[in-house]
Amino acid sequence: MQRGALLDAARSLLSEGGTEALTFPALAERTGLARSSVYEYFRSRAAVVEELCEVDFPIWAAEVESAMARAGTPEDKVAAYVRSQLALVGDRRHRAVVAISSSELDAGAREKIRAAHGGLVAMIVEALVALGHEQPRLAAMLLQGVVDAAVRRIELGAAEDPGAITDAAVSMALRGVGR
């Protein structure tokens, strides 16, 4: 239970203040534990980040996968892939992941993030094959780039409504930059 409370506190700190806010004194304060007790659960900030990745990425990926499974056509699967990821932008887990991704991490944490993103990209390859892409893996990575750009736009509080950003990202995913 304490480990879960520490991870929940870490998510809150990351989503509120980025990686600079994730400190062991702050974790201790949020959970009511002594600072030395935090070290009993995690050896470093990187260890907290790695565990968040292990816990949160699979949940996030399952939500994306579930949305895609409910979609009928390959086009609908692409739209679900984009929409479900962008719908998660307001979720604390997502804000924490964004904060984590932008920080200086050790090699282990960076590898976990890369692997998790690779799992997301792998989900869409089959739909891109069905759409006739000659290089579906490359197309999947570029599609994830569109999603990532839309996430950043929403996170920045851009002038456009998040729904308009999502619609534009889906349109670009399905039709490119043409009309």
Side-chain angles (χ1 to χ4, degrees), residues 8 30 38 43 47 64-65 83 91 104 124 126 138 146:
D8 196 46
R30 288 277 173 112
V38 176
R43 67 188 183 289
V64 173
E65 190 171 33
R83 287 187 188 286
D91 186 292
E104 292 292 322
I124 196 64
E126 185 179 325
L138 174 59
V146 169

Side-chain angles (χ1 to χ4, degrees), residues 110-168:
R110 278 195 310 273
E111 183 54 38
K112 288 195 186 305
I113 289 172
R114 265 195 299 276
H117 276 285
L120 278 175
V121 168
M123 282 183 207
I124 196 64
V125 170
E126 185 179 325
L128 295 172
V129 167
L131 288 172
H133 278 278
E134 292 178 17
Q135 296 182 34
R137 180 95 176 126
L138 174 59
M141 289 185 279
L142 294 173
L143 173 58
Q144 187 60 45
V146 169
V147 172
D148 293 344
V151 164
R152 283 190 300 278
R153 190 95 182 136
I154 292 169
E155 286 280 336
L156 289 172
E160 303 89 2
D161 174 71
I165 294 169
T166 299
D167 291 344

